[in-house]
Every structure is written in structure tokens, then in C-alpha cells.
Amino acid sequence: MHVRRDQQYLGSKMGAEIKPKLGLVGATSFVVGTIIGSGIFITANFMLRSVGSWGLSLIIWGLSGLAALCGALCWAELATVFPKQGGTYIFIKEGLGDFPAFLYISTRVFLLNPCANAVQALASAEYLMAPLSPCPPSQAIQSTAICLLVLMTFLHCYSTTLTSKLNTAITAIKLLTLLAITITSLISAANSPPSLPPAFQGTSSSLSSYVSAIYGGYWSYAGWQGIPAAIEDIKDPRRTMPKAIICGLVIVTLTYLLVNMA
């Protein structure tokens, strides 16, 4: 009944029904792939330096994951009430009206999303070019980044099923890379046990340090806000979306904790 009401809502609001293609695995990989990015590689050392102790650093990583889970579940609840593509845009439109929603989506389309995609494309291009040359020319990096952007845009326009499989594969690569880092560190620790200081030794007493660390944790888990935008592509969203969010955030949180312990 819930699925039928969702479809009736979509049909009455949009005049057309989008055929959902994402099951639990695809939706979970979408959640994990949306959240895991460069943040874990950049923020780990920054957070440890900010709080001063590895014990408190792990606590902040865990609490950040819990906060992200709560926020994502709230967004999922809103998405099941308004099951339309658009996510935050739809929530603002339904709650505040057309003009605030227009300001939000204009900022996302013309500023936030292009800047974020450009940074990610440049970073990916730089990593792809690194095996070919230790100092690749900037023109080569920029050209590769443009090609990546065009390719990703084409794939998303061409087929949701194809991009879902591609996202699952990329997510698996991310997790395997982080798992390899964890296993390598554990093997190294087994062969040569490290001498760790007490968990909370050297903990900072500066309030600004904690603010910086919490912000770093929030940034590393950022991405859950965009999960409801794909609700129309998810099969039986009332059941699948909460499960996918819980599974995805648990996987991300455990991965982050393991990598930081490593």
C-alpha cells in the first residue's frame, strides 16, 4: 500500500512514473560511495593533531558517524513523506515555498555542485596521472579531469542501471583500498608491536581544537544529505532506504575506525 501511495504521489505531482532500479545492495553502495571520499585520508591526521590523543580521536570518529546516521534517518523520513527526486530542494519547497527552494537549487546547481565536482575530477586526474609521471603538466591533469567529467555525465544520462553498477564497483574499490591499509598496518604491528601512549595522554584543553576536530569528522561523513535525492530510483523506498542508510553508515563508521586504528 505504501509503495502504491508513493507511486500515486509521484504520478500526480510529476505526471510520469520513474521505474525504480536500485535494490538494497545498490542503495547501500550508493550511501557508502556518496560518503566515502578523500575526507578520511585528509582528516585523520588533522583530527589527531587537533585533539592531541588517539583515544579521543576515535571517540569523535564514532560520534560523528552516529550523528551522520541520525541526520540521514531524518532525511530518509522526510523523503518517504515527499518521495520525489530532489532531496533537500523538495523539503524546502514543501516547507518554505518556491522562492527559498529556487535560491537553494540555484546555489547547488551553479556553485556548490560544479565546484565539488571540479575538485573531485582534478584530484582523480592527478592520482591517475601519477603512475605515468611524478610531475605531470597541469594541462594534462585538467584535460583528464574534463574527460572524466564528460564521461560521468554521459553515463548518468545514459543508464541508471549502468551507473548503479559502476558506483558499486567504485565503492568496492574504495573499501578494498581502505581494507588493504588496515590489513597492512595490522601485519606490520604484529611483526613489530608499536609502543602506543595511553589513550588520552596529551588530550588538548583548547575548545577551538575540539570544534576543528568535530568539523573534520562532519566533513568526512558529509554526503548523507544527498541520499534522498535518489528515492525514485530505489525499489520499495519505505523499506529499502532506512535499511540501506543504516547498513551504509555502519560500514562507513567501522571502516573509518579501523583505518584510524591502523
Side-chain angles (χ1 to χ4, degrees), residues 13-81:
K13 292 288 185 178
M14 301 184 65
E17 180 181 330
I18 297 176
K19 184 178 180 181
K21 302 179 181 66
L22 298 180
L24 180 59
V25 175
T28 302
S29 67
F30 175 77
V31 173
V32 176
T34 300
I35 296 175
I36 293 182
S38 59
I40 180 60
F41 301 101
I42 299 174
T43 309
N45 290 332
F46 167 77
M47 186 181 296
L48 184 59
R49 289 196 304 268
S50 297
V51 299
S53 64
W54 62 268
L56 187 57
S57 175
L58 291 179
I59 291 176
I60 293 178
W61 278 109
L63 292 177
S64 298
L66 181 61
L69 176 61
C70 293
L73 288 176
C74 291
W75 245 231
E77 177 65 21
L78 286 172
T80 56
V81 175

Side-chain angles (χ1 to χ4, degrees), residues 118-130:
V119 170
Q120 293 172 359
L122 287 170
S124 300
E126 189 170 353
Y127 282 117
L128 289 174
M129 296 292 292

